[in-house]
Amino acid sequence: MLEFRLTVFKEDIMKKRFGVALVLSMAMVLGACGAKQQAESVKGTEQKGTESSTAAKEESKEADSKADAGDGKTYKVGILKFMDHPSLNQIEDSLCEELDSLSESSGAKYEYKEYRLNGEGDASVLNQMTAQLIADDVDVIVPIATPAIQVVQSQTEGKNIPIVFSAVSDPVSAKLVDSMEKPGGNITGTSDFLNTDAIMDLIFAQNPEAKKIGLLYSKSEDSSQQPIAAAKKYLADKGVEVVEKTGTTTDEVSQAVDALIAEKVDAIFTPTDNTIQKAELSFYEKLIKAKIPHYGGADSFALNGAFAGYGVDYVQLGKATADMVDEVLRQGKDTATFPVQTFDNGIATVNTETAEKLGYSLDKIKEAFKPFCTKIVEIKTEKEFKS
């Protein structure tokens, strides 16, 4: 009996020991599983944190990249036009359209509507408006035509305001830049340099027998000086007589035209002269009556009644000016070393109404002009020109 009890007691102890061992073993397994899950949880958290950090860095890089491209940055563009004038209006409108396009495509925003001014051909007004743009703290000033540019350059001297000009026939002679390749200082832009020899070629292509040529321009415009000098040289080399008349107001220009008619010139040449172009509507009919063709250094002359205009495409000139503004402001180009842009002077514009009244055959004119032009455009007189 005692032996049986001892045997049972031993079996109980062994069962208890086995139970304890089993419990401890399970605890160890569960502990290990818990530790593994906790480690995986920590690892997962760390991995998610790393992924989140990497994503944040990528977003930061992308934001920096956009910022570098001008995303969200606003630039104030001051535009100062010398006067209302068909060619200058074309430049201004094209400039603004391209700035709008750049605002959509570049990531930067170009504001100009509140800073778009017209100097009305008055020096005092140009000075006041330049001072206004400086006070408005614009990021760049875009003066259009030489007189406006000269005022802006003078008033911004010593100030850190870049100038990107448009429509200067001879920036070097006008003392606006040091050279076309390296303008120097805070100024660069686009030039509507006139190939005077080419327009002289047109005159003699239409009338090979011409013996006396009138030169009509304003002494007040520096842009006219170089092409007039070039015209004199061309005509002197050809042995052709020159009759030179000038005017600074519409009345003076009209009187100068009367004098050229009295001199019985065979044709009249005017460079890219704003004063003469502005007065064109007041005298073009007198020249038609006298059977004298007037050749101007821009299509705007023909649009206002002259027989022919010859020069650059002013729409493209305005677009190129806006692109230069973008390169200076958003891309950080230095105006001092940013070359002045020039364009192919190969477009002849013929006023078909004037040609007919002068007794010219349009087909013959086009045939005569063809060797000296890259393009011939036909237009009619527009007394209320809209670009």
Side-chain angles (χ1 to χ4, degrees):
M1 189 70 176
L2 179 61
E3 185 178 348
F4 173 77
R5 288 178 178 175
L6 286 172
T7 302
V8 172
F9 179 71
K10 286 180 181 177
E11 289 177 356
D12 288 341
I13 290 173
M14 287 179 70
K15 286 180 180 179
K16 286 179 181 179
R17 283 179 179 174
F18 176 76
V20 170
L22 180 63
V23 170
L24 288 173
S25 176
M26 290 179 66
M28 287 174 68
V29 170
L30 290 173
C33 289
K36 183 178 180 182
Q37 287 177 351
Q38 185 177 4
E40 287 178 352
S41 175
V42 170
K43 183 179 179 182
T45 302
E46 288 176 350
Q47 186 173 356
K48 286 180 182 178
T50 301
E51 289 174 357
S52 177
S53 176
T54 302
K57 287 179 181 178
E58 290 299 322
E59 287 177 6
S60 178
K61 285 181 181 178
E62 186 178 351
D64 288 343
S65 177
K66 287 183 179 179
D68 290 341
D71 187 30
K73 191 162 186 178
T74 298
Y75 298 101
K76 294 190 289 186
V77 180
I79 302 171
L80 181 56
K81 182 174 61 178
F82 175 49
M83 63 164 67
D84 270 326
H85 172 297
S87 294
L88 304 188
N89 293 348
Q90 278 184 312
I91 294 168
E92 181 186 28
D93 291 344
S94 177
L95 165 74
C96 293
E97 287 175 10
E98 181 67 2
L99 288 175
D100 289 340
S101 177
L102 287 166
S103 290
E104 293 178 2
S105 64
S106 71
K109 183 178 179 182
Y110 293 101
E111 291 185 349
Y112 61 83
K113 292 180 181 178
E114 294 181 18
Y115 317 107
R116 185 177 181 178
L117 307 176
N118 180 0
E120 301 171 4
D122 188 313
S124 62
V125 174
L126 288 168
N127 275 285
Q128 291 169 7
M129 290 184 168
T130 302
Q132 179 181 329
L133 291 174
I134 294 171
D136 286 336
D137 196 26
V138 296
D139 295 294
V140 65
I141 298 179
V142 184
I144 303 174
T146 305
I149 300 161
Q150 290 170 325
V151 171
V152 170
Q153 187 179 42
S154 175
Q155 285 211 36
T156 56
E157 188 174 354
K159 296 179 174 65
N160 191 27
I161 304 175
I163 299 169
V164 180
F165 61 73
S166 189
V168 186
S169 298
D170 190 357
V172 178
S173 294
K175 298 181 180 178
L176 295 170
V177 299
D178 296 337
S179 70
M180 299 292 277
E181 295 75 23
K182 293 184 178 180
N186 67 328
I187 189 167
T188 189
T190 59
S191 170
D192 57 347
F193 174 78
L194 180 66
N195 185 341
T196 307
D197 284 2
I199 199 167
M200 291 289 113
D201 288 339
L202 293 184
I203 292 174
F204 289 97
Q206 191 278 323
N207 183 4
E209 304 302 319
K211 301 297 181 184
K212 187 186 291 187
I213 302 298
L215 303 180
L216 177 64
Y217 63 101
S218 171
K219 286 185 177 179
S220 65
E221 297 203 24
D222 291 336
S223 61
S224 293
Q225 305 309 312
Q226 190 276 333
I228 288 295
K232 287 180 181 179
K233 182 181 184 304
Y234 179 104
L235 295 169
D237 292 344
K238 203 173 182 69
V240 174
E241 184 180 349
V242 173
V243 181
E244 199 173 343
K245 298 296 178 182
T246 65
T248 57
T249 66
T250 297
D251 287 341
E252 289 177 359
V253 171
S254 185
Q255 291 169 13
V257 169
D258 290 338
L260 290 170
I261 292 172
E263 291 275 0
K264 297 182 179 180
V265 296
D266 294 304
I268 296 172
F269 164 66
T270 297
T272 49
D273 191 300
N274 299 300
T275 303
I276 306 303
Q277 193 285 324
K278 190 73 173 176
E280 184 79 41
L281 287 170
S282 70
F283 66 76
Y284 82 98
E285 290 175 319
K286 291 195 289 186
L287 291 178
I288 290 174
K289 187 176 180 180
K291 302 298 182 184
I292 300 173
H294 184 202
Y295 295 76
D299 64 349
S300 53
F301 287 90
L303 285 162
N304 280 167
F307 164 60
Y310 184 83
V312 304
D313 182 337
Y314 283 98
V315 172
Q316 292 303 313
L317 191 76
K319 182 179 182 298
T321 306
D323 291 339
M324 290 185 76
V325 167
D326 179 66
E327 290 183 81
V328 168
L329 293 181
R330 185 174 64 86
Q331 300 178 36
K333 282 201 174 181
D334 183 5
T335 54
T337 56
F338 195 177
V340 175
Q341 289 194 37
T342 57
F343 298 81
D344 175 26
N345 295 289
I347 301 175
T349 305
V350 177
N351 186 314
T352 55
E353 292 175 332
T354 299
E356 183 180 356
K357 290 175 183 178
L358 288 170
Y360 298 158
S361 163
L362 184 59
D363 288 338
K364 288 183 178 179
I365 290 168
K366 291 169 73 173
E367 188 65 29
F369 281 6
K370 191 175 180 180
F372 307 102
C373 303
T374 57
K375 184 178 180 182
I376 299 173
V377 178
E378 300 174 28
I379 56 92
K380 294 182 179 180
T381 304
E382 295 188 31
K383 295 188 178 182
E384 295 297 328
F385 177 76
K386 294 181 181 179
S387 57

